Amino acid sequence: QVQLVESGGGLVQAGGSLRLSCAASGRTVRIYAMGWFRQAPGKDREFVAAIGWRDATNYAEFVKGRFTISRDNPKNTIYLQMNSLKPEDTAVYYCAGTDRIYWRENLVDSWGQGTQVTVSS
């Protein structure tokens, strides 16, 4: 059974940085594609970033140049480094897992519980 546990959310001022972590068990992050989504109040959940085979990465347009996804294989953990945060980045951020080596958004089969990120203006 796959378990994903996020941490690292919090309150930060606009322009600041946060690093989210997602510790995985039951699945090897080195092998399988993993990603991050977010959901703001009153909005649908949306894709943020993903990492797959040979560290290939995908990013939503609205985070390109500001967010970086990475993974630590020995710790079986993925990260989302978020810089230059904006108030519109405020959301609950969710870690997502697949059982594929290439990222496919519609093949997510596991979710973390979410971590709140709040960016004040």
Side-chain angles (χ1 to χ4, degrees):
Q1 183 175 353
V2 179
Q3 187 174 14
L4 305 175
V5 179
E6 302 101 331
S7 60
L11 174 64
V12 64
Q13 288 188 329
S17 299
L18 282 174
R19 188 178 79 157
L20 306 183
S21 301
C22 172
S25 58
R27 179 165 290 159
T28 303
V29 302
R30 175 178 61 84
I31 298 174
Y32 297 105
M34 305 283 292
W36 291 94
F37 287 74
R38 71 185 188 186
Q39 187 168 21
K43 295 188 177 181
D44 293 335
R45 189 175 298 188
E46 61 183 356
F47 169 75
V48 175
I51 187 165
W53 181 245
R54 293 186 177 180
D55 291 338
T57 56
N58 297 2
Y59 293 98
E61 284 296 325
F62 53 79
V63 303
K64 281 185 178 178
R66 300 189 298 126
F67 292 9
T68 303
I69 188 170
S70 62
R71 55 189 169 196
D72 185 325
N73 295 332
K75 293 183 178 180
N76 212 38
T77 298
I78 66 167
Y79 301 99
L80 185 68
Q81 177 67 43
M82 305 185 295
N83 299 328
S84 302
L85 283 161
K86 306 175 182 180
E88 51 264 44
D89 293 318
T90 294
V92 177
Y93 284 71
Y94 296 91
C95 181
T98 77
D99 63 354
R100 308 300 173 95
I101 61 173
Y102 296 105
W103 175 257
R104 293 290 184 270
E105 187 173 329
N106 63 334
L107 295 180
V108 171
D109 66 354
S110 53
W111 295 92
Q113 81 287 353
T115 185
Q116 176 70 46
V117 171
T118 303
V119 184
S120 64
S121 57

